[in-house]
Amino acid sequence: MELQNHRWSVRKAICWLSLAAAFSGCSVNLLVEDSASAEIQQELLPVESFFNDSVISGVKLSSDGQWLAWFQLYNGAPNIYVMPSNGNIEDAFPLTTFTDGVDGFSWDKHQLGMFVSKDSNGNEQHQIYRLDLEERAKRLNLLNTIKLTSKAGVNYTLAGQASGNAKSLTLMANHDDPKRLDIYQLNTKSGELSLLMSNTQHFQSILIDDEGKPVVGVRDNPDTSAEMYILKDNSWQKTLTTKPGEILELTQYNSDLERVYFESSFGETDTSGLKQLDLNSGIIVDVHTDPNQQSDVYKTFFNKDGEPLLVSYYYGYREDYPISKEFQKHWQYINGQFSRRVEIDVVSINEKSGTWLLDIASDIDLGAFYTYSQVDQSLTRLIDKDTKLDSQSLAERRSITYQARDGITIQAYLTLPNGKSSQLPLVVLPHGGPWARDYWRLSDSFFNRVSQLLANRGYAVLQPNFRASTGFGETFIALGNRQWGNGAMQHDLTDGVEYLVEQGIADKNRVAIMGGSYGGYAALSGLTFTPDVYAAAISFVGPSNLITLTESFPEYYRPKLSQWFKAVGDPLIQFDREDMQTRSPINFTDQIKAPLLLVQGANDPRVTQLESDQIAIKMYQEDLDVEYILAKDEGHGFSKRINLMAYLIKMEEFLAEHLGGELNPEIPEELTAHLAGLEVDISKLAEKHSK
């Protein structure tokens, strides 16, 4: 899973478990021959430099254009910083000081203020807060922090703020029924919560009108088909039903033209394109599809009226296609200012002033936020995301492809230590999800920075977009069905290892597998189902038993689990239950030959602590090599800096011991002491569970 708002989350509701020249990635020899003169002894960078507390992310411009806000660590947790939009970074200051951090925020569309979403220590029961702000002497003062929702055990998700109602937020929440996400209107002044509709249709996503009321909804069916509904004459009418497995995601609603834009592979194409539905006629037209016919829609950008300006796709690298000729003129100018490959995100455009806010970065540079003026075609570097990490010391991240054993092409990213390319210790780093994918840009994933840390320590790092990864079409996703654990999804990882061994890049005796969420499950599967491939494994919040994992999901997950049941299985069906047993690493610990490091957050609601506890106990009882660190104040991924740094120190030590990579000996005493406090005495854990 990718890291989003500082904790792992997913692009789709079903995903519970996220400057170099182009490299073709074809199956050719990747080696640059080593020689004595070419060998580079690179400087070992401190772990802290890869994850320092000055890193900035998620910059947003206030509705009046006068203020910028972003995420940055304060007191070791992600909080919101602000500064004047025409100021300097020295003018920035923390607006919030939550000890367990902020998960998301948005500026108030109608006045100077902000709405914040945060849970408690990673439990994913998000509550909504209102921040009342006042501008005085070129500084924003926080007047009040008002908690607008407060019902325990409920997860409130912001669906949007009404453009025509200054006091209204639209939420989806299991407030009244724990099994269902109903749709509510929240009065931002009084905190009154009003039911807009009981979600008996089980919509997973909606679009709202100017008053904040839902007008379009999409739901998944048990056979993995999807249906789109529109609200017409005060009743929900079905406008579209996809075939099983076809992609359908809502994108934008244009209320003036009564159009809905959505991304879908509905029809004859295997990959999703941008489509338009006319709400009056019911006619659907194709707006744009990938000219290379390789990728699903990656991102879209719309003007303030809800019309598309840009459509992007992603295979190994991002490809952008302007829709508007006026937009294209400016887009070409901006891209022309960079001589090396970068990726550009449009964060927002103030159409009145013609000012764009851009996020520009690469594989070795977290990058910066820029402003661009349409008036005089000027591009200004505004805020650097990280001033401490030296990009010149980082390693090129290449997109490659290799063939799986059944002939399927797998796209992957390969990071090699600077100046080294043969007989290297290798770390395989599968992404979470699994309905997600890895990207080229350094800032797109927590594990992309981990891969740079590992390369600095002398490891080759392989991040495969194995089958079931999103972005490569509906067929590629379906190829992962019932292929978890001992099937083709795991074979794709093994085949990547064999490819790098054949190329002479990897030393077959020094290979480790590590990942988070599904990636953690893949690490456990590698250890149990392919024990001769890996010399070590690290599972970060990885499930060990597919049955206990599924049975732990909250009740309101079940209507969203059609893809899960088709891909993994439903434990309420006896045949599925037996099949899930054969794909659960907990049942095959007798095949383990290599050491394991487990990493877990005690408050994780997706992959509960039981998943790590049970395999730790079983391996201990079987006298197998297992270590375990547990953070009691974390959920599905670590958000607090002290916990994250302790994990990275442990990861570095563990891999150095078992693969022989380099180790930075200068560890702050504070981190050593904190790590000791996270380490679990598995003998006591086993004794406790036996009672």
Side-chain angles (χ1 to χ4, degrees), residues 415-451:
T415 307
L416 301 179
N418 285 327
K420 300 177 181 179
S421 59
S422 66
Q423 295 304 307
L424 298 169
L426 170 67
V427 177
V428 181
L429 192 51
H431 61 71
W435 300 288
R437 61 156 292 170
D438 278 314
Y439 299 96
W440 173 75
R441 199 165 72 160
L442 180 61
S443 57
D444 277 332
S445 167
F446 157 78
F447 281 114
N448 286 2
R449 277 185 283 167
V450 171
S451 71

Side-chain angles (χ1 to χ4, degrees), residues 263-309:
E263 301 164 19
S264 184
S265 58
F266 171 74
E268 301 300 320
T269 61
D270 185 69
T271 56
S272 69
L274 182 64
K275 299 178 184 293
Q276 173 197 295
L277 167 66
D278 187 297
L279 296 183
N280 292 315
S281 67
I283 296 174
I284 297 173
V285 297
D286 292 325
V287 178
H288 203 278
T289 55
D290 179 16
N292 300 314
Q293 297 183 337
Q294 288 183 306
S295 312
D296 299 318
V297 174
Y298 167 59
K299 285 186 178 180
T300 54
F301 188 81
F302 292 77
N303 65 17
K304 64 180 181 63
D305 297 321
E307 289 301 289
L309 298 177

Side-chain angles (χ1 to χ4, degrees), residues 346-644:
V346 183
V347 179
S348 61
I349 296 179
N350 185 318
E351 295 183 22
K352 184 176 181 180
S353 66
T355 303
W356 301 21
L357 178 61
L358 305 171
D359 176 355
I360 305 178
S362 77
D363 61 329
I364 61 170
D365 190 349
L366 286 172
F369 289 91
Y370 291 72
T371 55
Y372 170 73
S373 172
Q374 290 184 189
V375 177
D376 58 5
Q377 287 193 319
S378 60
L379 186 66
T380 304
R381 193 174 182 117
L382 189 64
I383 306 172
D384 286 304
K385 295 181 189 175
D386 185 357
T387 58
K388 297 181 180 179
L389 183 58
D390 179 16
S391 63
Q392 299 303 312
S393 300
L394 301 188
E396 178 185 5
R397 179 177 172 81
R398 301 171 175 178
S399 172
I400 67 168
T401 60
Y402 61 87
Q403 299 299 307
R405 63 191 65 183
D406 60 357
I408 297 297
T409 298
I410 305 299
Q411 187 275 332
Y413 294 99
L414 179 65
T415 307
L416 301 179
N418 285 327
K420 300 177 181 179
S421 59
S422 66
Q423 295 304 307
L424 298 169
L426 170 67
V427 177
V428 181
L429 192 51
H431 61 71
W435 300 288
R437 61 156 292 170
D438 278 314
Y439 299 96
W440 173 75
R441 199 165 72 160
L442 180 61
S443 57
D444 277 332
S445 167
F446 157 78
F447 281 114
N448 286 2
R449 277 185 283 167
V450 171
S451 71
Q452 288 290 349
L453 168 60
L454 293 173
N456 183 257
R457 300 303 190 256
Y459 301 97
V461 184
L462 180 69
Q463 294 172 267
N465 281 316
F466 46 87
R467 70 193 71 199
S469 300
T470 55
F472 303 92
E474 62 185 59
T475 299
F476 195 74
I477 294 173
L479 287 173
N481 291 345
R482 305 300 171 110
Q483 297 299 312
W484 288 46
N486 55 11
M489 290 171 68
Q490 198 71 26
H491 298 335
D492 290 345
L493 308 181
T494 306
D495 294 343
V497 173
E498 292 180 354
Y499 171 68
L500 293 183
V501 170
E502 290 170 0
Q503 292 285 305
I505 295 173
D507 177 352
K508 68 177 182 178
N509 297 314
R510 294 190 294 161
V511 182
I513 183 168
M514 174 179 73
S517 198
Y518 175 84
Y521 167 82
L524 296 176
S525 296
L527 207 61
T528 51
F529 297 121
T530 55
D532 294 324
V533 176
Y534 299 107
I538 302 176
S539 172
F540 196 147
V541 296
S544 61
N545 187 327
L546 295 177
I547 293 174
T548 55
L549 172 71
T550 307
E551 291 176 341
S552 72
F553 289 160
E555 290 183 275
Y556 67 87
Y557 277 21
R558 194 165 183 90
K560 308 172 186 179
L561 293 178
S562 58
Q563 174 64 22
W564 178 271
F565 292 145
K566 187 167 186 177
V568 185
D570 184 346
L572 297 180
I573 300 172
Q574 185 59 31
F575 176 84
D576 284 8
R577 191 176 187 89
E578 293 173 1
D579 182 62
M580 294 167 78
Q581 293 279 21
T582 69
R583 301 184 189 281
S584 295
I586 189 72
N587 298 321
F588 300 91
T589 54
D590 61 322
Q591 299 185 84
I592 293 177
K593 299 179 180 179
L596 170 66
L597 172 62
L598 294 163
V599 188
Q600 182 70 46
N603 300 322
D604 192 341
R606 308 186 198 183
V607 179
T608 65
Q609 184 180 333
L610 173 65
E611 296 302 318
S612 291
D613 280 1
Q614 60 192 358
I615 196 166
I617 292 170
K618 190 171 183 186
M619 288 183 65
Y620 169 78
Q621 292 172 339
E622 295 174 1
D623 200 27
L624 296 170
D625 191 347
V626 57
E627 298 179 74
Y628 187 6
I629 62 175
L630 174 71
K632 297 185 182 299
D633 55 351
E634 297 282 10
H636 197 62
F638 289 0
S639 66
K640 296 179 177 63
R641 175 173 169 77
I642 189 72
N643 294 329
L644 181 63

